[in-house]
Amino acid sequence: MAHAHIDLDPRFTIGPVQRRLFGSFVEHLGRCVYTGIYEPGHPTADEDGFRGDVLELVKELGVSAIRYPGGNFVSGYRWEDGVGPKEERPRRVDLAWHSLETNEFGLDEFARWADKAGSEVMYAVNLGTRGVQEALDVLEYSNIKEGTTLSDQRVANGAPEPHNIRMWCLGNEMDGPWQLGHVSADDYGKIAAKTASAMRQMDPTLELVACGSSKPIMPTFAEWERVVLHHTYQHVDYISAHAYYEELDGDLDSFLASGANMDEFIESLVATIDHVKAALKSDKTINISFDEWNVWYNKRWHTEDKPRNATDWHYAPRLLEDQYSVADAVVFGSLLISLLKHADRVTSASLAQLVNVIAPIMTEPGGAAWRQTIFYPFAEASRLATGEVLRLNLSSDTYETEKYGTVNRVDAIATHDAETGAAAVFLVNRGADESATVTIDLGALVDGKSVTATTLTDDDVYASNSLEAPERVVPRANEELTVEDGRLTITLPAVSWTTLTIS
Ligand code: AHR
């Protein structure tokens, strides 16, 4: 049995729980939009063709801002194709995912859908095949109330109120050679700065995100950010970060330690940002928009629906439909802990993605929708994390990994809401070989409160949910819990995610 100990004291805080940390991402990719969130004719579809079963699950997941419409897709996208009468919208090839784009779903539909889901829209402009003018056009269409050609078009298209989108991404992964129109850091920095300053002339209160490197492992990481931030520092509020993890070569121990890599990545990105800040003698702090993160098995790109090298263009092909296991959910939970641990600088994040494509929610066309294993850590943290993120004093037994060296078996984060007195602790045991006993000194925090815990685990770490067995893996009450004189003791099974609620 491994051991860990945590001191939890509400006087030590990292920063407020930012709602935008619980954001997600909807891209025109595979079946995320078509037969995911949008499927006219589905038995649960509403008058707009939005799947009611999916909307309910999105609300249960508790998603704040949702990034749209891509991703790689945005770098070849003409936003105006997706507005106006549906029967007149052009059909296009989407070069990012080699799919057929019918454009029957676009900006106005997404804004309407997000409103029904209770989420905020975060919009990415195309800086791959387009530039400043098109960014200004979509901003005018979306945010100006009325009285200009483009805003009047929106009104005529059935959206009388402006979409009032606050957060805008200046392109997507522009460092990636796979990206349409990808450029050098210097060229991207210049176009991003120009676009940002033009957009701010229309609305100085917009929150703008410059593209960071597409992956921490990109050889350009840090230098790309340094160059881009030198150009854009005064014009933007965020630099983006993207990271995906997967189990490779059967190395489960390293995979389970992915959160340690995420911690390092965030810390080195913060250091890079702050060096530029110092070099520019700026008073302004740039934060991180971690606008793509998840577990992603990169190899599941090509399916019988869309074979490699297809020259025909499929509508809504089954792409990137990863089925997540218990181990994946534990890694996912660790990544969430890592984001919360850095809530002072990671103030927005988007789980990539939301439905069907590397997603917590899966659907069958014409059929059911269900929750993947990764749904649960996100939904629990989104629901229970309120108030301030606490700085914990955590000590844990460790284990050795090939990729990331020595890592703590147990990792955790906690939040405390001074107004309600409620607190939550999120924990992972990433050791694959043994349970861990965790003691938590809570002091007066538990006085007169009820403490409950749920744990997501399984004897088979590769167990997952599916259409046939949608509830194979669910969190269950953890009864291995005692509280005595302000000290809580709980047992975490090997490879598990646990949520403790103190209320
Ligand atoms: O989320 C899937 C893809 O991953 C996105 O389109 C792209 O931005 C990233 O490389």
Side-chain angles (χ1 to χ4, degrees):
M1 177 80 76
H3 291 95
H5 178 75
I6 298 170
D7 292 311
L8 198 152
D9 184 329
R11 288 173 302 176
F12 300 109
T13 60
I14 294 172
V17 177
Q18 307 278 356
R19 275 308 302 160
R20 278 198 184 139
L21 277 184
F22 300 101
S24 187
F25 179 25
V26 164
E27 178 166 4
H28 283 247
L29 193 183
R31 299 193 307 112
C32 186
V33 172
Y34 303 117
T35 74
I37 65 177
Y38 176 77
E39 191 179 344
H42 186 273
T44 70
D46 65 11
E47 64 288 357
D48 293 311
F50 304 153
R51 282 184 64 145
D53 54 354
V54 173
L55 267 172
E56 283 316 305
L57 287 174
V58 172
K59 287 185 207 159
E60 183 184 326
L61 194 60
V63 186
S64 54
I66 307 183
R67 187 166 172 251
Y68 175 84
N72 296 340
F73 172 80
V74 81
S75 296
Y77 182 52
R78 289 174 258 206
W79 68 271
E80 62 274 31
D81 285 354
V83 299
K86 290 198 178 190
E87 57 290 357
E88 290 170 20
R89 296 187 191 175
R91 294 158 78 85
R92 306 271 189 202
V93 290
D94 157 27
L95 295 177
W97 304 106
H98 284 248
S99 310
L100 172 71
E101 176 54 59
T102 61
N103 283 306
E104 62 202 283
F105 188 99
L107 172 55
D108 293 329
E109 286 80 20
F110 184 68
R112 202 171 162 79
W113 178 85
D115 192 44
K116 288 187 180 181
S119 300
E120 177 192 347
V121 176
M122 173 177 173
Y123 195 85
V125 299
N126 175 356
L127 291 187
T129 57
R130 305 190 116 185
V132 181
Q133 186 57 59
E134 292 88 350
L136 286 174
D137 288 349
V138 66
L139 175 59
E140 177 186 330
Y141 179 90
S142 174
N143 281 15
I144 301 282
K145 188 164 168 51
E146 61 195 353
T148 68
T149 300
L150 289 170
S151 59
D152 287 346
Q153 257 178 40
R154 188 202 65 242
V155 175
N157 289 339
E161 289 308 315
H163 298 320
N164 196 18
I165 300 172
R166 305 317 313 152
M167 210 165 159
W168 294 76
C169 305
L170 303 167
N172 176 68
E173 296 191 347
M174 296 305 299
D175 64 323
W178 58 87
Q179 202 70 226
L180 273 181
H182 98 273
V183 280
S184 67
D186 196 45
D187 287 344
Y188 171 70
K190 286 179 187 155
I191 181 74
K194 272 192 203 165
T195 310
S197 84
M199 291 175 79
R200 284 228 162 121
Q201 287 188 35
M202 201 173 297
D203 180 351
T205 68
L206 298 176
E207 295 173 65
L208 303 177
V209 187
C211 290
S213 301
S214 48
K215 313 220 159 19
I217 47 158
M218 287 297 277
T220 50
F221 172 59
E223 181 58 9
W224 169 277
E225 279 74 2
R226 194 187 66 74
V227 173
V228 168
L229 283 172
H230 267 275
H231 285 292
T232 57
Y233 206 89
Q234 291 313 322
H235 303 291
V236 303
D237 306 284
Y238 299 90
I239 183 109
S240 72
H242 293 179
Y244 294 99
Y245 295 90
E246 64 183 315
E247 183 184 340
L248 286 171
D249 307 321
D251 183 0
L252 179 62
D253 287 340
S254 295
F255 174 54
L256 288 165
S258 302
N261 181 259
M262 178 97 129
D263 288 341
E264 261 182 45
F265 172 43
I266 293 173
E267 281 149 30
S268 53
L269 182 51
V270 168
T272 305
I273 297 170
D274 291 350
H275 271 92
V276 178
K277 175 180 177 168
L280 297 175
K281 299 189 172 47
S282 174
D283 293 336
K284 179 177 166 188
T285 297
I286 298 275
N287 285 323
I288 299 172
S289 166
F290 215 118
D291 47 40
E292 289 188 31
W293 68 273
N294 201 349
V295 172
W296 176 10
Y297 289 88
N298 248 301
K299 49 193 170 294
R300 295 177 197 161
W301 276 52
H302 300 280
T303 61
E304 65 279 11
D305 224 14
K306 185 195 159 286
R308 190 184 286 273
N309 301 328
T311 48
D312 47 348
W313 305 88
H314 289 241
Y315 167 77
R318 287 183 186 264
L319 287 183
L320 279 46
E321 299 200 4
D322 284 2
Q323 186 168 336
Y324 291 115
S325 68
V326 169
D328 295 330
V330 173
V331 170
F332 180 94
S334 305
L335 302 180
L336 205 46
I337 288 173
S338 175
L339 292 172
L340 282 162
K341 264 195 233 169
H342 298 93
D344 53 339
R345 298 302 295 273
V346 182
T347 52
S348 182
S350 316
L351 154 62
Q353 299 195 8
L354 187 58
V355 185
N356 288 330
V357 172
I358 45 173
I361 299 169
M362 296 299 291
T363 71
E364 261 310 292
W370 67 98
R371 301 167 190 81
Q372 296 238 49
T373 56
I374 62 171
F375 184 98
Y376 296 102
F378 191 100
E380 289 169 1
S382 175
R383 181 164 49 87
L384 296 168
T386 55
E388 293 284 324
V389 183
L390 302 187
R391 190 173 300 285
L392 304 181
N393 179 28
L394 185 152
S395 55
S396 166
D397 287 349
T398 57
Y399 73 108
E400 296 305 315
T401 70
E402 233 171 76
K403 270 179 99 170
Y404 307 124
T406 307
V407 294
N408 283 346
R409 283 176 178 271
V410 171
D411 201 12
I413 194 68
T415 60
H416 174 246
D417 193 329
E419 265 176 42
T420 62
V425 190
F426 307 102
L427 307 109
V428 282
N429 177 3
R430 40 197 184 189
D433 51 352
E434 37 181 349
S435 305
T437 300
V438 185
T439 48
I440 310 180
D441 277 340
L442 292 154
L445 213 63
V446 281
D447 288 353
K449 304 261 170 46
S450 91
V451 184
T452 53
T454 59
T455 293
L456 185 131
T457 192
D458 199 280
D459 291 342
D460 174 6
V461 298
Y462 296 108
S464 60
N465 296 337
S466 61
L467 175 62
E468 296 72 31
E471 298 195 346
R472 165 78 174 79
V473 182
V474 293
R476 299 185 194 284
N478 185 329
E479 311 287 0
E480 308 269 314
L481 165 77
T482 56
V483 186
E484 222 181 297
D485 298 332
R487 171 170 282 202
L488 183 151
T489 306
I490 186 164
T491 303
L492 312 179
V495 192
S496 61
W497 157 268
T498 294
T499 296
L500 265 170
T501 314
I502 303 159
S503 59

